[in-house]
Amino acid sequence: MRTLAWIARHGSTTDSDKGIFRGQRDSALDKKGFTDAHQLHDFFEEHPWKSIFTSPLTRSIQTAIVIAGEKDDEIMPTIPELKPWNIGYLTGKPKKEYSDDMQYFIDNPGEVIQDGESRDQFEHNRVHPLLIELIEVGLKGEPPILIGHSSIIHALNHLLIGEAGDIAVKPGGVVEIFED
Protein backbone atom coordinates (compact mmCIF):
# COMPACT_ATOMS: atom_id res chain seq x y z
CA MET A 1 0.00 0.00 0.00
CA ARG A 2 1.37 3.41 -1.01
CA THR A 3 -0.08 6.73 0.13
CA LEU A 4 -0.79 9.06 -2.79
CA ALA A 5 -2.22 12.04 -0.89
CA TRP A 6 -3.98 13.17 2.25
CA ILE A 7 -6.90 15.50 2.64
CA ALA A 8 -6.98 17.01 6.10
CA ARG A 9 -10.08 18.88 7.15
CA HIS A 10 -9.34 22.21 8.79
CA GLY A 11 -10.01 22.42 12.53
CA SER A 12 -13.07 23.72 14.33
CA THR A 13 -13.94 27.38 13.63
CA THR A 14 -15.56 30.40 15.20
CA ASP A 15 -18.70 29.45 13.21
CA SER A 16 -18.72 25.73 14.09
CA ASP A 17 -21.15 25.97 17.00
CA LYS A 18 -23.52 28.51 15.44
CA GLY A 19 -25.72 25.98 13.61
CA ILE A 20 -25.33 27.80 10.29
CA PHE A 21 -24.30 26.82 6.80
CA ARG A 22 -20.75 28.11 6.49
CA GLY A 23 -20.02 27.64 2.80
CA GLN A 24 -17.43 30.21 1.79
CA ARG A 25 -17.66 32.32 4.96
CA ASP A 26 -14.13 33.20 5.95
CA SER A 27 -14.21 32.11 9.58
CA ALA A 28 -11.03 31.55 11.57
CA LEU A 29 -10.00 28.61 13.73
CA ASP A 30 -11.23 28.75 17.31
CA LYS A 31 -9.26 27.44 20.31
CA LYS A 32 -10.33 23.85 19.62
CA GLY A 33 -9.48 24.37 15.93
CA PHE A 34 -5.89 25.21 16.82
CA THR A 35 -5.77 22.09 19.00
CA ASP A 36 -7.10 20.11 16.02
CA ALA A 37 -4.39 21.64 13.81
CA HIS A 38 -1.64 20.75 16.30
CA GLN A 39 -2.90 17.16 16.40
CA LEU A 40 -2.70 17.12 12.59
CA HIS A 41 0.85 18.46 12.84
CA ASP A 42 1.75 15.58 15.18
CA PHE A 43 0.14 13.07 12.79
CA PHE A 44 2.04 14.36 9.78
CA GLU A 45 5.34 14.43 11.71
CA GLU A 46 5.12 10.62 11.54
CA HIS A 47 4.46 10.47 7.78
CA PRO A 48 6.57 11.63 4.83
CA TRP A 49 4.89 14.33 2.76
CA LYS A 50 5.77 16.96 0.21
CA SER A 51 3.80 20.19 -0.23
CA ILE A 52 0.60 21.50 1.31
CA PHE A 53 -2.20 22.84 -0.87
CA THR A 54 -4.97 24.97 0.59
CA SER A 55 -7.81 27.32 -0.21
CA PRO A 56 -7.41 31.05 0.49
CA LEU A 57 -9.84 30.87 3.44
CA THR A 58 -8.39 31.77 6.83
CA ARG A 59 -9.29 28.48 8.55
CA SER A 60 -7.44 26.47 5.90
CA ILE A 61 -4.37 28.69 5.85
CA GLN A 62 -4.13 28.61 9.66
CA THR A 63 -4.34 24.81 9.62
CA ALA A 64 -1.66 24.58 6.91
CA ILE A 65 0.72 26.84 8.85
CA VAL A 66 0.41 24.73 12.00
CA ILE A 67 0.83 21.44 10.11
CA ALA A 68 3.88 22.70 8.21
CA GLY A 69 5.69 23.98 11.30
CA GLU A 70 9.29 24.56 10.29
CA LYS A 71 8.56 23.23 6.79
CA ASP A 72 6.49 26.34 6.01
CA ASP A 73 8.27 26.71 2.67
CA GLU A 74 6.30 23.60 1.59
CA ILE A 75 3.01 25.53 1.70
CA MET A 76 2.08 26.27 -1.90
CA PRO A 77 0.30 29.48 -2.97
CA THR A 78 -3.39 29.29 -2.14
CA ILE A 79 -5.75 27.88 -4.77
CA PRO A 80 -9.10 29.73 -5.05
CA GLU A 81 -10.74 26.69 -6.68
CA LEU A 82 -10.27 24.81 -3.37
CA LYS A 83 -12.83 27.01 -1.64
CA PRO A 84 -15.85 25.07 -0.40
CA TRP A 85 -19.07 24.72 -2.37
CA ASN A 86 -20.48 28.21 -3.01
CA ILE A 87 -23.93 27.80 -1.49
CA GLY A 88 -24.93 31.37 -2.30
CA TYR A 89 -27.91 32.71 -0.36
CA LEU A 90 -27.69 29.80 2.11
CA THR A 91 -24.33 31.00 3.45
CA GLY A 92 -24.72 32.03 7.08
CA LYS A 93 -28.34 30.86 7.25
CA PRO A 94 -29.55 28.65 10.15
CA LYS A 95 -29.38 24.95 9.29
CA LYS A 96 -32.65 24.18 11.09
CA GLU A 97 -34.60 26.72 9.08
CA TYR A 98 -32.98 26.12 5.67
CA SER A 99 -32.17 22.38 5.72
CA ASP A 100 -34.91 21.60 3.15
CA ASP A 101 -33.46 24.20 0.78
CA MET A 102 -29.98 22.69 1.13
CA GLN A 103 -31.30 19.17 0.65
CA TYR A 104 -33.02 20.27 -2.56
CA PHE A 105 -29.68 21.42 -4.03
CA ILE A 106 -27.94 18.25 -2.86
CA ASP A 107 -30.64 16.09 -4.46
CA ASN A 108 -30.68 18.21 -7.64
CA PRO A 109 -26.98 18.67 -8.41
CA GLY A 110 -27.58 20.53 -11.68
CA GLU A 111 -29.62 23.30 -10.03
CA VAL A 112 -27.66 26.52 -9.50
CA ILE A 113 -28.11 28.10 -6.06
CA GLN A 114 -29.05 31.79 -6.19
CA ASP A 115 -25.79 33.78 -5.87
CA GLY A 116 -23.84 30.50 -5.82
CA GLU A 117 -23.10 27.46 -7.96
CA SER A 118 -24.64 24.06 -8.57
CA ARG A 119 -23.16 20.98 -6.95
CA ASP A 120 -22.21 19.75 -10.43
CA GLN A 121 -20.35 23.01 -11.18
CA PHE A 122 -18.54 22.76 -7.85
CA GLU A 123 -17.59 19.10 -8.15
CA HIS A 124 -17.16 18.34 -11.85
CA ASN A 125 -15.91 21.70 -13.13
CA ARG A 126 -13.95 23.02 -10.17
CA VAL A 127 -12.84 20.37 -7.66
CA HIS A 128 -12.58 16.99 -9.40
CA PRO A 129 -9.82 18.16 -11.80
CA LEU A 130 -7.80 19.45 -8.84
CA LEU A 131 -8.26 16.23 -6.87
CA ILE A 132 -7.08 14.22 -9.87
CA GLU A 133 -4.02 16.49 -10.11
CA LEU A 134 -3.34 15.98 -6.40
CA ILE A 135 -3.37 12.20 -6.86
CA GLU A 136 -1.09 12.53 -9.89
CA VAL A 137 1.40 14.52 -7.77
CA GLY A 138 1.40 11.67 -5.27
CA LEU A 139 1.96 9.11 -8.02
CA LYS A 140 5.14 10.97 -9.03
CA GLY A 141 6.70 11.33 -5.57
CA GLU A 142 6.01 11.90 -1.89
CA PRO A 143 2.35 12.49 -1.11
CA PRO A 144 1.01 16.02 -0.80
CA ILE A 145 -1.45 17.29 1.80
CA LEU A 146 -4.55 19.19 0.85
CA ILE A 147 -6.28 21.19 3.57
CA GLY A 148 -9.91 20.73 2.69
CA HIS A 149 -13.41 21.68 3.67
CA SER A 150 -16.20 19.16 4.23
CA SER A 151 -17.61 19.80 0.74
CA ILE A 152 -14.19 19.01 -0.78
CA ILE A 153 -14.13 15.69 1.08
CA HIS A 154 -17.64 14.88 -0.16
CA ALA A 155 -16.49 15.74 -3.69
CA LEU A 156 -13.54 13.34 -3.30
CA ASN A 157 -15.94 10.61 -2.20
CA HIS A 158 -18.18 11.26 -5.23
CA LEU A 159 -15.13 11.19 -7.54
CA LEU A 160 -13.72 7.92 -6.21
CA ILE A 161 -16.77 5.83 -5.26
CA GLY A 162 -19.88 7.72 -6.33
CA GLU A 163 -22.87 8.70 -4.22
CA ALA A 164 -23.09 5.49 -2.19
CA GLY A 165 -21.48 5.47 1.22
CA ASP A 166 -20.95 9.21 1.53
CA ILE A 167 -18.16 9.87 4.02
CA ALA A 168 -17.94 12.62 6.60
CA VAL A 169 -14.78 13.81 8.30
CA LYS A 170 -14.91 15.81 11.50
CA PRO A 171 -12.87 19.01 11.84
CA GLY A 172 -9.23 18.03 12.24
CA GLY A 173 -9.76 14.63 10.58
CA VAL A 174 -7.74 13.11 7.74
CA VAL A 175 -8.59 11.08 4.64
CA GLU A 176 -5.78 9.02 3.14
CA ILE A 177 -5.82 8.27 -0.57
CA PHE A 178 -3.71 5.21 -1.30
CA GLU A 179 -2.79 2.79 -4.03
CA ASP A 180 -3.12 -0.88 -3.14
Side-chain angles (χ1 to χ4, degrees):
M1 187 172 87
R2 178 172 75 129
T3 301
L4 301 176
W6 285 284
I7 298 183
R9 185 168 172 203
H10 61 76
S12 175
T13 72
T14 53
D15 283 339
S16 292
D17 293 330
K18 292 182 178 177
I20 61 172
F21 292 113
R22 292 180 295 276
Q24 294 190 359
R25 277 174 64 105
D26 195 17
S27 52
L29 295 178
D30 60 13
K31 185 177 179 181
K32 183 180 178 327
F34 277 104
T35 299
D36 296 336
H38 283 282
Q39 289 173 343
L40 285 168
H41 169 83
D42 294 344
F43 173 83
F44 287 115
E45 281 276 299
E46 303 296 319
H47 297 83
W49 58 272
K50 177 76 174 161
S51 305
I52 297 178
F53 299 92
T54 184
S55 79
L57 297 184
T58 301
R59 58 193 181 260
S60 293
I61 294 169
Q62 290 172 318
T63 302
I65 290 169
V66 172
I67 289 171
E70 293 179 7
K71 293 172 67 173
D72 63 347
D73 60 328
E74 298 298 331
I75 300 173
M76 301 293 107
T78 62
I79 302 171
E81 292 83 8
L82 287 176
K83 284 184 178 180
W85 183 13
N86 183 352
I87 56 172
Y89 80 93
L90 292 170
T91 303
K93 298 284 193 243
K95 288 181 177 181
K96 285 184 179 179
E97 189 176 336
Y98 288 87
S99 63
D100 289 344
D101 290 31
M102 177 59 88
Q103 193 60 52
Y104 173 81
F105 292 109
I106 291 170
D107 293 341
N108 297 279
E111 291 289 324
V112 177
I113 300 174
Q114 179 185 339
D115 301 323
E117 65 189 333
S118 73
R119 197 175 114 203
D120 281 346
Q121 289 171 325
F122 164 67
E123 289 187 355
H124 301 295
N125 299 351
R126 185 155 64 85
V127 177
H128 285 175
L130 291 172
L131 292 172
I132 291 167
E133 257 185 83
L134 181 78
I135 293 167
E136 288 173 349
V137 167
L139 283 167
K140 294 175 185 170
E142 288 193 12
I145 301 169
L146 184 149
I147 308 303
H149 305 276
S150 61
S151 59
I152 300 285
I153 293 168
H154 288 293
L156 171 69
N157 183 79
H158 299 153
L159 174 66
L160 296 178
I161 62 173
E163 297 288 326
D166 212 10
I167 60 170
V169 175
K170 294 182 184 220
V174 178
V175 173
E176 179 181 17
I177 303 168
F178 61 89
E179 176 181 51
D180 188 9

